[in-house]
Each structure stands twice: as structure tokens, then as C-alpha cells.
Amino acid sequence: MTLRHFWFWLTGGTCFETRPAGAPRHEVYIRSCSPLILRRRASAVSKDMRFARTSPPLTLVRTTIFAALMALFLTHLVHSPAAAAERRHGLSTFGELKYPADFTNFDYVNPDAPKGGRLSMIGTAGLITFNSLNGFILKGDAAQGLGYLFDALMTPAQDEPDSMYGLVAHSVELSDDRRTVTFYLRAEAKFADGSPLRAEDVVNSFTLLKEKGHPRIALQLRDVEKVEALDSATVRYHFTGNQTRDLPLIVAGLPIFSKAYYDKNDFSKTSLKTPLGSGPYTVAKMKQGRFIVFGRREDYWAKDLPVNRGRFNFAELRYEYFRDRTAEFEALKAGAYDLREEFTSKTWAKEYDIAQVRSGRLLRLTLPDARPSGAQGFFINVRRKKFSDPRVRRALDYAFDFEWTNKNQFYGLYKRTNSFFENSDMKASGPPGEAELALLAPYRDQLPKEVFLAPYSSPVSNGSGQDRKLLRAGSKLLKEAGWTIKDGMRVNAAGEKFEIEFLIFSPTFERIIAPFVKNMKILGIDARIRLVDPSQYQSRLKAFDFDIITQRYVLRVTPGVEIRSYWGSGAADTTGSFNLSGIKDPVVDALIEKVIAAKSRTELVTATRAIDRVLRARHYWVPHWYKAAHNLAFWDKFSRPKIKPLYGRGVIETWWYDSAKAAKLESTR
């Protein structure tokens, strides 16, 4: 008896068939058949007969055997990845991987780079103090560099827009519908104390981050339904909802904490105790608010993996903290630290004409940056009633003279930012095309007509610093919005003065804001600058206690669920979110989901351009400026690979200490 005839006998003339072409996944289909039908193609079977009654009736023996086999089959369905694809060594948002399974190292590293030496630097996060070594919760001001303490299941390749390769996990299995992803862990993975890193640590880490982590993290994980340890070396994540495209990569990149450590230590509290990690570095020493030193672990378990070969070459990473940029720059010139990225155009243009640079001991280097340049600007808090009218917000844009600022304060080094996706193909330009219109048209009655024209761009001034034409246009907008002039001051119908406060923590930015304030005063607005200490600034920022604030955030090359935290209504009132302006717009929410749901790069670009148009038409900010480059100043004692990672600086991860250069530099002091 063949297996097919046995099945026919067992079912009493009933044939079992899994999902026919075009039918929903995971459904079990049963149809009546005869030996004749058994020899026909499955495609001839009616696709509408789900769980049809069997005929003739099953005997008791056949029923028992059938039930047992069905139980085994359904158990397999439940405990196997849904429509699972083959195991792979990496993940990508749209499926393509640059590196094969047997790759030896990333192209942008030197696999033979020497290890050792110290890199002392100013971090790029713009932080001037720290009081915690817990960087994954809302409380406290975390030190920079804490990510180097923890490994993740996978690590990104910085020359691909959205690919990750196995780190703690040696392979991954993603279901075709992207609703489950299964990671298979390396047996050799371990924490810094020698204890093994197991599936239960991964599960517990996810639970801590989702339940007690920073709201921004929790928001990204909201559609992760559950995570389970199938055994000590296998972890499976389950996703819910329809927007699951990015979730496999998000969970693959989560830091992994020791369950044993956090069973004894409260994850929800700030602490200056060094946490137990599994990454390439650990905290060697620190002084709160002044500096922190990370020491490279010689016993790091993953140092020879392909994803790490040629990376993490410095024996020490030291982050320096200064409350004043002038003092910070003077310390660099004195050799108190090694490297900083220069963000102040005046300093870069004028203040490096010094003996250390002229002699070639202190180097200046400009590296191209292919990432989206980020959204930097004066963010307007629309939670406050005085900013509720888009005409008011647009009027403020007319008062900022970028052309004068760029010429007189930036030495022409910058370009004006207009898009939330500046320096990328995701930036909207010209009238919307057919694909964009298909996304925008359903909301036509909820959108300003400008959305369906060329996207809004800030006006170009005559460069005088007080362009009267633009100021008149701004005044007209304010009047239309109900703010009139009375006794030289702009007031509303209730007689309330229009007051604006710019919140800052460093006096450096006063020179940029002061001309802006001056133009606002010409418009009758009582504008002023409020300088507060860093801790108060951070507290007010997290609580959205400001009128206008200066900030910058950088989006991924492939934006996903994280943009809910930037522009989503759910994040507008979430303490500590990136939704600085307090955007609550159902159209923006709908377009965010289109970005997240995009199944190809083309769909993604279309959706981001559509949302860019809407955000720009709503005038939630006065945009700043950008440059698609990194300006670095550093002492000549480092070497770097010939190839720079396309989507990163590569300094910490790929450069190395050159002892010959360092000796030569020391001899010239």
C-alpha cells in the first residue's frame, strides 16, 4: 500500500490538502475525494471547501489514527515558524544581503589592524554631563558609549542601508509573512563574568525594555506580541498587526542583558554601577560628569567573528565632557584629548589656523556622509495654544534670515534644510507624482492645498538680516491668524501678548538666535532667550516644557517604526519622545503606517515623500541647515582603512592607534 492509498484508507475517502494557491496561509483544507480524484492535480480541487465533512464516515480505528496524526501535524504547525524560509546568516528589510554566508570581514575594515592604544574624544551626542550608566530608561542622563558594553543578536553592516549579520545568533529563520523570526544562538556566547549567554537572557532583556525601558524603545516594540525561549539556544519572536516589516531587525538589534544580574539589580533605576554586559568593552574608570573610560576586553568572546574582525581596535575609549565649547576647543589644542567632530562653522573656518595644524600635528579631515542629514531646526511646541495656527508658525519662518546667518556666521559652509529627509532620495520635490497622489488623495479634504503643489520650502532672503519684504509677509500672516498690533506689541483677541522663549543650555547658540529674536521683536513679538543649566534643560525637554527648542535627530536610511516616536500622535504626550512639536495629525499617522508597511524601496520612498509634503505644509519647525560631511579634528596618531563605511564615520569601530605616528608626534612636543 502506498502512502497515498494509506491516507485514502485512513480518511475513509477523504483527502488532506494544505493551502491551495492564493488561499490564506496556515489554513488546513480537507476535501472529499476518490481514488480517481487522487490521481488528479490538486489545482482541480474546489478552493472553497474548508474543513468539509468526510464521506463515508470514519471507522473507530481510522478515527483514532487520524486524530493522532492530525495532532502531530497541528503541533508541528504551532511550534514551527509560519511558512518558514531557510535559515540565513543575516537579515535585510527588503531581503537582499551584500555579504555571503562565508564572508570573512566587512569591506570597510582592516582585518589586520593592530590592537591597542587609546582614543580620547568628545562624543557626538551633544551631551555635556552624565549621571547614570543605564542608557535604556527615561530617568537620568546616561553616559555616552554604553552601547559598547552589550552585544545583540545581530549587528548592522554600515555599507548597506538595512542589513544585519549574526553576532550572538549564528543564524536566523524568518517566516514568509514576517510574523515570526527565530534566532539560533552561538554556544560560545558569554557575559563578561564568564557566565553563558542563553535564550532566557534574550527573553528577559526584551521584557525589561518593553515594560521598563525608555518610552521610545517601548513604542518601537508595541507590535511584538511575545518572545519565547524554545530551548537554551533558540529564541522566537512573534509579531502582531500588519506592519511587521522592520520588527525582525529591531529585535535583532536589541541589547542583551544578563538575567542573573538584573534579578539582583533594579533595571528601572539610574545607577553608576557598571552593568554586566557581553560586548567588546567594559567601564574601566570614570568621574561623574567629567569623563568615562571604556576598556577593551581581551577575553571578549566574539572578537574573532567575521562581523567583528578589524573592529574595536582601541584598548581604551575615553569620552570627555565639557560644559563650555570654548574650553573644549582649548583642551583639544593643548592635547588634553585626541579627537572631536567640529559642529561649529565659525570655529572650523577661522580658529584652526594655529601652529599645531600648520605643522601637521593636528589634522583636519572632512569625510562624506551618505546618511540622511537629519532634521535640525527650531522646533515649535504646538501643544501651546499660541502656536496652534499654522500661519503663526509660518510667520516665524519668515523672520529667520538663513542667508544672512550663513554668510556672516557660518562662512557659507552650510545649505538650508527644507526636508525632514534632507540629503536623501526620500525628500519630496516638485508636484507629487502619480504614486504619491494615490497615498494623499484620500485625505485631500483634510490637507492644505499646498500639499498637492511643490512642497513648501523656506523663503530665500536678500541676505540683509532684516528682509522687509519677508517681514511684511510674516506680519500679514500673524494678522490673519488673529494677532494684531497694539501699542507696538502683537496681541490676540483676548489682549494677551505674544511671548516666545527660546530654551538653551549653552551660550554658544545665543549668537545664532539673537538676530532671529530681533526680527521677531520687529514683528511685535516679545521674544527672549532662556539659558538654563544642562540638567534643567534635559528635564524640561523630556516634559515638553518649552516654547521653541533647538534639536537635531537623524533618521535611518530605511525609516520604520521609530518614526512613530518622531511624528506619531501616540508619542505627542509620551514623556521623552522625539515628537518635540507635539504633532497629532491623523493623516500623518496614516502615512507613517504606509512607510512602515512598504514592501520595497520604491514604496518606501513614495511614502516618505508623501509624509514629507504634509509635515512641511504644517510648519512644525523653522528648519536650520546641513552639510553632508563630517568635519574631524584629531592629533596625528591614528590610521584608518582605505574604505570608509558608507553610512557611518567609522572612527571608533574601524580606526586604530598607530604607534609609529604616536612616537613621531611625541618627539615633536
Side-chain angles (χ1 to χ4, degrees):
M1 178 184 289
T2 66
L3 178 61
R4 186 165 61 175
H5 286 98
F6 171 73
W7 182 258
F8 179 71
W9 169 83
L10 177 65
T11 59
T14 299
C15 293
F16 175 83
E17 177 176 291
T18 54
R19 179 180 60 89
R25 299 186 187 276
H26 312 134
E27 295 207 34
V28 177
Y29 287 71
I30 299 176
R31 60 180 172 84
S32 299
C33 69
S34 66
L36 176 63
I37 297 177
L38 275 171
R39 291 191 290 271
R40 295 178 181 172
R41 294 176 57 87
S43 60
V45 179
S46 170
K47 299 176 183 178
D48 296 324
M49 298 182 65
R50 305 183 185 183
F51 296 101
R53 292 181 178 272
T54 61
S55 178
L58 296 175
T59 66
L60 178 61
V61 173
R62 286 187 294 204
T63 301
T64 303
I65 298 174
F66 178 77
L69 290 176
M70 282 297 293
L72 286 173
F73 178 79
L74 292 174
T75 299
H76 175 75
L77 279 181
V78 171
H79 292 283
S80 297
E86 61 181 332
R87 290 192 194 181
R88 302 184 73 191
H89 62 294
L91 281 173
S92 178
T93 299
F94 299 119
E96 298 179 357
L97 294 172
K98 172 182 176 180
Y99 294 95
D102 61 349
F103 82 103
T104 57
N105 55 263
F106 292 130
D107 290 345
Y108 52 83
V109 304
N110 173 8
D112 301 316
K115 309 295 185 183
R118 184 186 75 174
L119 171 62
S120 178
M121 62 195 152
I122 303 297
T124 58
L127 302 177
I128 60 177
T129 188
F130 71 92
N131 57 21
S132 176
L133 297 186
N134 187 346
F136 304 99
I137 61 174
L138 180 61
K139 298 176 183 176
D141 300 318
Q144 297 177 86
L146 292 173
Y148 297 115
L149 272 59
F150 304 98
D151 277 333
L153 291 167
M154 311 189 85
T155 192
Q158 293 189 26
D159 56 350
E160 297 179 80
D162 47 39
S163 294
M164 302 183 78
Y165 295 86
L167 181 54
V168 170
H170 59 73
S171 58
V172 60
E173 197 170 69
L174 177 63
S175 65
D176 289 345
D177 61 4
R178 303 182 81 92
R179 289 188 179 275
T180 65
V181 62
T182 306
F183 298 95
Y184 301 91
L185 278 57
R186 301 180 194 271
E188 64 270 29
K190 60 183 179 180
F191 292 100
D193 66 351
S195 59
L197 192 163
R198 294 292 178 256
E200 66 173 359
D201 298 300
V202 179
V203 172
N204 190 63
S205 300
F206 167 78
T207 301
L208 289 174
L209 289 167
K210 188 169 185 178
E211 295 180 359
K212 300 180 180 180
H214 195 290
R216 290 197 298 260
I217 301 175
L219 183 62
Q220 293 187 50
L221 301 177
R222 75 177 191 184
D223 289 335
V224 182
E225 186 175 33
K226 68 174 181 176
V227 58
E228 56 183 334
L230 303 186
D231 55 45
S232 64
T234 311
V235 176
R236 180 170 297 156
Y237 282 90
H238 298 258
F239 310 127
T240 187
N242 298 318
Q243 318 301 9
T244 61
R245 186 198 69 203
D246 300 307
L247 291 177
L249 281 84
I250 288 174
V251 299
L254 294 177
I256 301 173
F257 311 125
S258 165
K259 182 178 184 299
Y261 178 84
Y262 281 108
D263 282 346
K264 300 176 182 178
N265 296 272
D266 191 344
F267 180 78
S268 66
K269 293 183 178 179
T270 61
S271 174
L272 288 172
K273 178 182 179 181
T274 301
L276 176 62
S278 62
Y281 289 91
T282 189
V283 177
K285 56 183 176 180
M286 67 173 178
K287 186 173 183 180
Q288 180 180 336
R290 296 290 301 277
F291 70 86
I292 184 168
V293 179
F294 298 94
R296 188 176 185 273
R297 294 177 47 219
E298 294 300 325
D299 62 345
Y300 176 42
W301 72 274
K303 61 183 177 181
D304 295 321
L305 292 180
V307 293
N308 282 337
R309 194 167 293 132
R311 298 173 67 206
F312 310 121
N313 302 313
F314 295 106
E316 284 188 355
L317 301 174
R318 178 177 172 122
Y319 287 85
E320 305 283 356
Y321 289 80
F322 291 86
R323 291 178 177 267
D324 180 78
R325 286 195 179 186
T326 300
E328 175 188 312
F329 182 56
E330 292 301 317
L332 175 69
K333 293 192 292 184
Y337 63 93
D338 303 321
L339 178 146
R340 81 168 184 169
E341 182 168 351
E342 185 57 69
F343 295 102
T344 305
S345 56
K346 178 183 177 183
T347 303
W348 186 252
K350 296 292 184 179
E351 297 181 22
Y352 281 92
D353 185 16
I354 53 179
Q356 298 93 318
V357 174
R358 290 193 294 268
S359 66
R361 293 179 296 147
L362 183 63
L363 303 179
R364 298 203 308 162
L365 175 68
T366 298
L367 295 173
D369 184 7
R371 298 173 302 169
S373 291
Q376 177 177 311
F378 297 111
F379 287 88
I380 305 167
N381 191 354
V382 301
R383 301 172 186 86
R384 302 196 164 176
K385 186 177 179 181
K386 59 189 172 185
F387 298 124
S388 61
D389 193 316
R391 291 171 295 186
V392 170
R393 304 194 293 268
R394 183 172 182 173
L396 301 184
D397 194 19
Y398 279 58
F400 179 63
D401 194 331
F402 167 76
E403 284 67 35
W404 181 90
T405 302
N406 192 37
K407 177 182 178 181
N408 292 278
Q409 300 200 25
F410 299 157
Y411 302 91
L413 294 177
Y414 290 101
K415 297 178 181 179
R416 184 73 188 268
T417 294
N418 278 301
S419 169
F420 287 82
F421 301 94
E422 197 66 66
N423 192 43
S424 78
D425 60 351
M426 296 178 285
K427 173 182 178 180
S429 61
E434 183 178 345
E436 286 180 69
L437 284 173
L439 296 180
L440 295 168
Y443 311 104
R444 187 178 290 272
D445 60 344
Q446 302 175 55
L447 293 170
K449 62 181 180 181
E450 290 82 3
V451 169
F452 299 92
L453 305 173
Y456 175 81
S457 292
S458 297
V460 178
S461 78
N462 60 15
S464 66
Q466 293 180 17
D467 189 319
R468 297 191 178 200
K469 180 180 178 181
L470 295 184
L471 291 175
R472 282 196 299 269
S475 180
K476 181 181 179 183
L477 287 168
L478 289 171
K479 185 177 181 180
E480 291 173 356
W483 292 92
T484 58
I485 293 292
K486 182 178 181 180
D487 299 328
M489 299 300 297
R490 192 72 59 171
V491 297
N492 61 14
E496 299 169 325
K497 288 196 306 181
F498 197 170
E499 299 176 335
I500 293 180
E501 179 183 273
F502 288 84
L503 186 67
I504 62 173
F505 65 86
S506 171
T508 305
F509 224 75
E510 286 186 281
R511 69 185 181 92
I512 309 298
I513 301 175
F516 192 13
V517 167
K518 184 178 180 181
N519 280 347
M520 285 188 178
K521 289 184 179 295
I522 293 174
L523 292 175
I525 299 171
D526 183 12
R528 56 189 177 276
I529 301 171
R530 177 74 180 276
L531 177 66
V532 298
D533 66 75
S535 60
Q536 184 181 355
Y537 178 87
Q538 289 297 325
S539 296
R540 291 184 62 176
L541 174 64
K542 291 175 182 178
F544 310 121
D545 182 17
F546 59 84
D547 284 343
I548 296 179
I549 203 165
T550 298
Q551 283 289 305
R552 177 177 185 254
Y553 54 77
V554 179
L555 298 172
R556 293 189 295 132
V557 182
T558 304
V561 296
E562 75 281 356
I563 64 175
R564 289 173 178 153
S565 182
Y566 293 109
W567 311 312
S569 297
D573 298 320
T574 300
T575 303
S577 81
F578 284 128
N579 191 341
L580 302 175
S581 293
I583 300 169
K584 289 184 178 181
D585 186 333
V587 177
V588 172
D589 291 337
L591 293 175
I592 286 174
E593 300 310 306
K594 294 293 185 182
V595 173
I596 297 171
K599 292 180 172 57
S600 67
R601 188 79 197 175
T602 300
E603 288 184 11
L604 177 85
V605 168
T606 298
T608 53
R609 289 176 178 174
I611 200 171
D612 191 34
R613 292 179 187 278
V614 176
L615 291 172
R616 289 161 68 176
R618 300 293 199 195
H619 308 289
Y620 292 115
W621 66 338
V622 176
H624 277 186
W625 46 83
Y626 77 97
K627 57 179 176 58
H630 302 283
N631 290 333
L632 305 179
F634 57 94
W635 289 93
D636 187 19
K637 51 183 174 181
F638 307 109
S639 289
R640 56 194 173 96
K642 294 180 180 179
I643 300 174
K644 172 193 169 293
L646 188 62
Y647 300 115
R649 296 191 316 170
V651 175
I652 296 174
E653 293 193 13
T654 70
W655 288 23
W656 63 91
Y657 182 83
D658 191 316
S659 56
K661 289 183 178 180
K664 180 180 179 181
L665 180 65
E666 185 63 28
S667 69
T668 63
R669 290 188 183 276

